[in-house]
Amino acid sequence: MEKSRGKKEPQKRKIDFKLLAILIAITCLLLFCIFRIIVIRSAACTYVMTDGERYETVRLYPGSVEEACSKAGFRNVEVVNRKDDDGIVYLTLKETFDVSIQTSEETLTVRTAPCTVGELLEANGISVGSDDIVTPDVDDWLSDSTQVTVTRVSYSTVTETEDVPFSVEVQYDSQMLKGQQEIARYGENGEKSLEYRVEEHDGEEVSRELVKEEEVKAPINCIVKQGIRIAQNAQEKQATSEEAKAAAASSQTLPSSQPETERESTGELSTAGRSQVWSVPAGITDDTENKIITAGDGSSYEYTAVIDVTATAYHRVEDGGEITASGTVTQYGTIAVDPRVIPLGSRLYVVSDGGDQSWSYGPGLAEDTGGLIKGTKIDLFFMTGDEADDFGIRPAKVYILKD
């Protein structure tokens, strides 16, 4: 019996996984490269730049505006206009430069493109008050190395008090003998209030304007009584002479080694060392009606009052001089007074009394005081002890000059 021949069974294909893996890897790499190319092309940017003089085109990926400007050779510029159009960026550039800004609060240096001073200050957060001073002006355009200064201006009100000097009134008394005088009332300064509008620049005062003046206390004038009655008999003449001697003796304490007779010099006043400052010819002409005196050198002065006084002298006792009661340094023309009779700061003119007009001390300033200078007594300053000794004690007239 013949065996039947059966059909041959098909063989199964073997899958090459190694080859498959290689194909997959190659496919992924190709896809990645395609994707990267697409991304790069989509992310790349073309910059078209101009500063008004030249144009440059730069294509970058990745890249910033700063990098594009640097690659194109634009330095110290800023973008003043930008326009994007399908991957193309159009840039309009302007050159920048350094500018210094100085205020009372700070000093800084900033980099900027051409603009006005006001725009620069606003961009940097610096406010300007309506009274502040800006240099250059806020509307001026900046240039390289410009220095901008902002001065802070402020105003305030300040109130001060000031003395009102009293005046000296001379009252002629027909009951008193000529040569006699007395202080009927001592003077006293008044006081006034002064209100100022003060302008300050960066905290420093630059000016002040008086806006209001008000008297707080009225001054009390000094009243000096002077006798005008002529002595009628020997007794009255003797009394007048004795009073004059007593007044002179009490006006200064004399050194025990120097008798009083030596101090009462009657010669001409020594002017050694003062020829360039206080050299004044002796004698004056007094226009009593108009209250004007004219000195021997032709200079004239208006006066408000004239007082008969006893004059003594003092001098500089150490190198550098003495400091007066007013805080000044003694010099020719410094006169010590009783401030209750003659106000400190008064301008004076001193001449001899008694009709001989043998000497003139000339113009001076009441700026000193002294423990022995009381009532109608004054002390004249000289640079040297010889001058002071030569002067001694003398009757004098003091003209209180008009301010």
Side-chain angles (χ1 to χ4, degrees):
M1 185 173 174
E2 189 178 344
K3 292 182 180 180
S4 59
R5 188 177 292 179
K7 293 182 179 180
K8 192 175 181 179
E9 294 182 0
Q11 293 181 353
K12 293 183 179 179
R13 293 183 178 178
K14 293 182 179 181
I15 300 174
D16 192 340
F17 288 101
K18 186 176 181 180
L19 179 61
L20 180 62
I22 292 173
L23 291 174
I24 292 174
I26 292 173
T27 302
C28 290
L29 179 61
L30 290 173
L31 290 175
F32 175 75
C33 290
I34 294 171
F35 176 77
R36 189 170 185 271
I37 291 172
I38 294 173
V39 171
I40 290 175
R41 291 183 63 85
S42 62
C45 187
T46 299
Y47 293 93
V48 180
M49 296 165 285
T50 180
D51 63 357
E53 294 183 359
R54 64 187 177 96
Y55 286 83
E56 297 290 342
T57 301
V58 175
R59 188 175 181 81
L60 291 178
Y61 175 82
S64 63
V65 171
E66 290 76 15
E67 291 172 330
C69 290
S70 177
K71 189 170 183 179
F74 290 106
R75 299 287 189 271
N76 300 327
V77 292
E78 71 171 13
V79 178
V80 294
N81 189 25
R82 172 175 178 155
K83 180 182 178 182
D84 297 294
D85 187 12
D86 295 332
I88 301 177
V89 179
Y90 296 92
L91 300 176
T92 303
L93 308 174
K94 278 190 177 181
E95 183 181 2
T96 61
F97 45 81
D98 288 331
V99 174
S100 172
I101 305 175
Q102 181 175 348
T103 69
S104 59
E105 299 87 14
E106 60 180 342
T107 298
L108 64 156
T109 300
V110 298
R111 193 147 195 92
T112 181
C115 64
T116 65
V117 173
E119 291 169 341
L120 174 73
L121 295 175
E122 183 179 359
N124 287 275
I126 299 175
S127 61
V128 179
S130 58
D131 295 320
D132 292 345
I133 301 172
V134 180
T135 307
D137 190 77
V138 291
D139 294 325
D140 288 353
W141 279 81
L142 296 168
S143 60
D144 193 7
S145 302
T146 299
Q147 179 171 333
V148 178
T149 304
V150 180
T151 303
R152 304 299 185 186
V153 180
S154 60
Y155 295 91
S156 61
T157 300
V158 174
T159 302
E160 298 179 352
T161 58
E162 187 176 292
D163 286 342
V164 180
F166 60 86
S167 298
V168 180
E169 298 178 13
V170 178
Q171 295 181 353
Y172 298 102
D173 193 327
S174 60
Q175 302 301 313
M176 296 173 59
L177 291 173
K178 186 175 182 179
Q180 292 181 334
Q181 62 183 4
E182 64 178 35
I183 306 298
R185 183 176 69 191
Y186 285 107
E188 184 178 334
N189 287 335
E191 187 178 289
K192 60 183 177 181
S193 173
L194 304 172
E195 184 177 303
Y196 295 95
R197 184 174 186 260
V198 178
E199 180 179 349
E200 294 183 345
H201 289 183
D202 291 336
E204 297 291 332
E205 181 179 330
V206 295
S207 67
R208 59 172 55 198
E209 177 187 0
L210 181 63
V211 295
K212 184 179 179 181
E213 181 175 339
E214 183 178 3
E215 185 178 74
V216 177
K217 183 178 69 172
I220 299 175
N221 290 340
C222 173
I223 298 177
V224 179
K225 285 188 175 183
Q226 289 190 2
I228 58 173
R229 184 166 67 86
I230 304 299
Q232 300 297 317
N233 50 53
Q235 184 177 2
E236 289 182 344
K237 291 179 181 180
Q238 182 178 359
T240 302
S241 176
E242 290 177 353
E243 287 179 4
K245 289 181 180 180
S250 64
S251 63
Q252 180 172 338
T253 302
L254 301 173
S256 57
S257 60
Q258 186 176 17
E260 181 176 338
T261 55
E262 292 182 12
R263 296 285 292 182
E264 293 184 0
S265 171
T266 58
E268 289 189 3
L269 176 61
S270 167
T271 59
R274 69 169 188 153
S275 59
Q276 301 301 317
V277 184
W278 296 106
S279 180
V280 179
I284 60 166
T285 301
D286 187 357
D287 180 356
T288 57
E289 183 178 353
N290 296 305
K291 289 191 173 181
I292 298 176
I293 56 173
T294 303
D297 60 1
S299 57
S300 61
Y301 306 86
E302 291 186 67
Y303 65 90
T304 59
V306 56
I307 306 175
D308 294 328
V309 298
T310 299
T312 56
Y314 70 114
H315 60 90
R316 187 163 290 177
V317 296
E318 59 183 8
D319 291 338
E322 298 177 325
I323 302 301
T324 69
S326 302
T328 59
V329 177
T330 51
Q331 60 180 334
Y332 285 114
T334 296
I335 302 174
V337 299
D338 183 345
R340 301 173 301 170
V341 177
I342 299 176
L344 285 175
S346 298
R347 295 169 55 242
L348 310 176
Y349 197 100
V350 182
V351 297
S352 60
D353 195 9
D356 60 350
Q357 293 201 5
S358 60
W359 59 271
S360 290
Y361 186 76
L365 187 64
E367 55 184 348
D368 206 358
T369 60
L372 298 177
I373 308 304
K374 304 296 183 184
T376 55
K377 300 172 185 176
I378 63 172
D379 214 7
L380 306 177
F381 178 81
F382 293 90
M383 288 295 292
T384 67
D386 289 342
E387 288 179 290
D389 292 343
D390 182 65
F391 185 83
I393 303 171
R394 306 187 184 197
K397 283 185 179 294
V398 173
Y399 290 85
I400 301 176
L401 304 182
K402 189 175 182 180
D403 292 334

